[in-house]
Amino acid sequence: MNLTSVMTHEAEVAKIKSRRAWLSAMTVLLACAMMFIMQLVCSFAIAFLFPDVQGEVLTAVIEMVCYVIYLTVPFGIAAIIFKTCLKSYDSYKPKYVTPKKPVLYILGAVGIGYIVNVTVNLLFGWLINLFDMPTVEAPQTTAGIILLYISTAVFPAVLEEWAFRGVILKNLLPYGRKGAILISSLLFGIMHVDPARVIFATAFGLLLGICYEYTRSIKIPMIIHFINNAIAVTSSLSLDNDVMIIVMDVVVYSFMGFGVAALIYYIRNGIQHKKISLNRPLHIGYKLTSGRYLLKTLLNPGVIPLALLYLFIFAAQFFASYE
């Protein structure tokens, strides 16, 4: 095979992989659009089928069932598409990396999340305060509190990590690490709709994406996600108890200390055999830079229904806060 034939073959392979990257981005965005559609359908179905539903336990169970449906169905379909139609020709299965000091790794990641939260509030607090979103009343019964932890800490940690790291990030990684982590994190943030949560969720999604990419284990982001949400739920339930408020403040600041320690330790020593860097070469032979990744996403037809649905849901919640 002469040099011209080799160059032609490589150009054709690059074109196929570029098209595959574009189709992957479209699949991801359409899955997110489907998630928003199913969320709206579930909301209307609840209002129609259970107009006079009473009791915090029954309400929580119905909302949990709807949450499972509108999150698992679209991303389950996307996972099937990736596994069958968009399966990469190249092998891209890095080995699982066990972090040194895994407890410090997990606690440090949670602490970094709180550091990010404080930073976001300092930078964007003026923007967040412009929106007064309705708050959810805390449950009063033991069963209601248990269901609150399940619906707010357990289910999101498992299902959202599976969807956004296990489906989206995993299948976009072969086309560029930076772009894949950025896109999956943005979509993860947008899913939360509320501006006060979108900014933090996007930043927290970046952290979870990096944790997944370097360990190649969905379990660690799930644990980090669960701890973060569980502490948030406990804090929300402790607003009327001065002692618990002090205890939760100590817990949060302790985690932030772990975050600083983890940053210093892992930047100096690496996670295992890899330093913290997103510039390592890819095995797949085709790479999308962050700019090209964003361009392919913005010029993707799947972004249109996603953007319209997001604006509709956001506007509905925004105007509901003034009723």
Side-chain angles (χ1 to χ4, degrees):
M1 184 178 292
N2 56 37
L3 180 60
T4 304
S5 300
V6 172
M7 293 178 64
T8 303
H9 174 71
E10 290 180 350
E12 291 177 352
V13 171
K15 187 180 296 185
I16 291 172
K17 291 177 179 177
S18 177
R19 189 183 303 117
R20 189 177 295 275
W22 185 84
L23 290 172
S24 297
M26 184 172 68
T27 300
V28 165
L29 291 170
L30 288 175
C32 291
M34 188 186 302
M35 177 193 68
F36 279 122
I37 292 173
M38 294 190 68
Q39 186 177 4
L40 290 174
V41 171
C42 287
S43 299
F44 288 126
I46 292 175
F48 179 75
L49 297 174
F50 307 98
D52 300 319
V53 63
Q54 294 181 352
E56 58 187 24
V57 173
L58 182 58
T59 302
V61 170
I62 293 173
E63 291 177 351
M64 285 167 59
V65 171
C66 291
Y67 173 80
V68 172
I69 291 173
Y70 71 70
L71 200 62
T72 56
V73 172
F75 291 105
I77 294 173
I80 294 172
I81 293 174
F82 279 121
K83 191 172 182 179
T84 56
C85 305
L86 295 176
K87 190 174 183 180
S88 176
Y89 295 125
D90 301 270
S91 59
Y92 184 66
K93 298 179 180 178
K95 294 181 179 179
Y96 170 73
V97 176
T98 304
K100 300 174 184 176
K101 300 184 182 299
V103 174
L104 176 62
Y105 187 86
I106 293 173
L107 298 182
V110 177
I112 293 170
Y114 286 118
I115 294 172
V116 169
N117 192 19
V118 171
T119 305
V120 166
N121 279 293
L122 289 174
L123 295 177
F124 302 102
W126 60 273
L127 176 62
I128 294 172
N129 292 331
L130 295 177
F131 301 92
D132 184 20
M133 292 298 179
T135 57
V136 180
E137 186 177 352
Q140 303 300 318
T141 64
T142 302
I145 292 174
I146 293 173
L147 287 174
L148 179 63
Y149 274 99
I150 294 174
S151 63
T152 308
V154 178
F155 276 19
V158 175
L159 296 179
E160 291 177 12
E161 289 310 307
W162 165 75
F164 289 92
R165 256 60 68 178
V167 176
I168 293 179
L169 180 55
K170 176 182 177 181
N171 289 285
L172 293 183
L173 272 175
Y175 307 106
R177 290 183 176 87
K178 290 181 180 179
I181 293 174
L182 178 62
I183 294 301
S184 62
S185 303
L186 285 172
L187 293 174
F188 176 68
I190 289 172
M191 186 202 73
H192 290 79
V193 182
D194 182 352
R197 299 171 64 196
V198 166
I199 299 174
F200 169 71
T202 301
F204 193 56
L206 289 170
L207 173 66
L208 293 171
I210 293 173
C211 288
Y212 172 77
E213 202 281 325
Y214 277 91
T215 61
R216 203 47 58 106
S217 170
I218 196 67
K219 295 178 183 178
I220 289 181
M222 283 181 178
I223 295 172
I224 296 169
H225 198 152
F226 169 77
I227 294 175
N228 176 79
N229 287 19
I231 293 175
V233 173
T234 306
S235 298
S236 67
L237 295 174
S238 306
L239 295 178
D240 297 329
N241 189 320
D242 293 337
V243 175
M244 282 301 299
I245 291 175
I246 295 174
V247 170
M248 295 312 300
D249 286 342
V250 171
V251 169
V252 169
Y253 285 118
S254 298
F255 272 108
M256 292 174 69
F258 279 116
V260 173
L263 276 176
I264 295 172
Y265 179 84
Y266 289 112
I267 289 176
R268 287 182 175 179
N269 302 287
I271 292 176
Q272 189 181 40
H273 62 274
K274 298 185 290 186
K275 292 286 185 179
I276 296 180
S277 171
L278 296 178
N279 296 316
R280 289 176 286 109
L282 291 164
H283 301 288
I284 204 166
Y286 175 75
K287 181 178 181 180
L288 282 175
T289 61
S290 300
R292 291 175 66 189
Y293 232 129
L294 286 173
L295 184 63
K296 285 183 178 292
T297 302
L298 294 175
L299 299 180
N300 192 306
V303 79
I304 299 173
L306 177 62
L308 292 176
L309 285 167
Y310 174 76
L311 290 175
F312 176 79
I313 295 174
F314 171 74
Q317 291 196 4
F318 179 76
F319 288 115
S321 64
Y322 290 97
E323 293 182 355

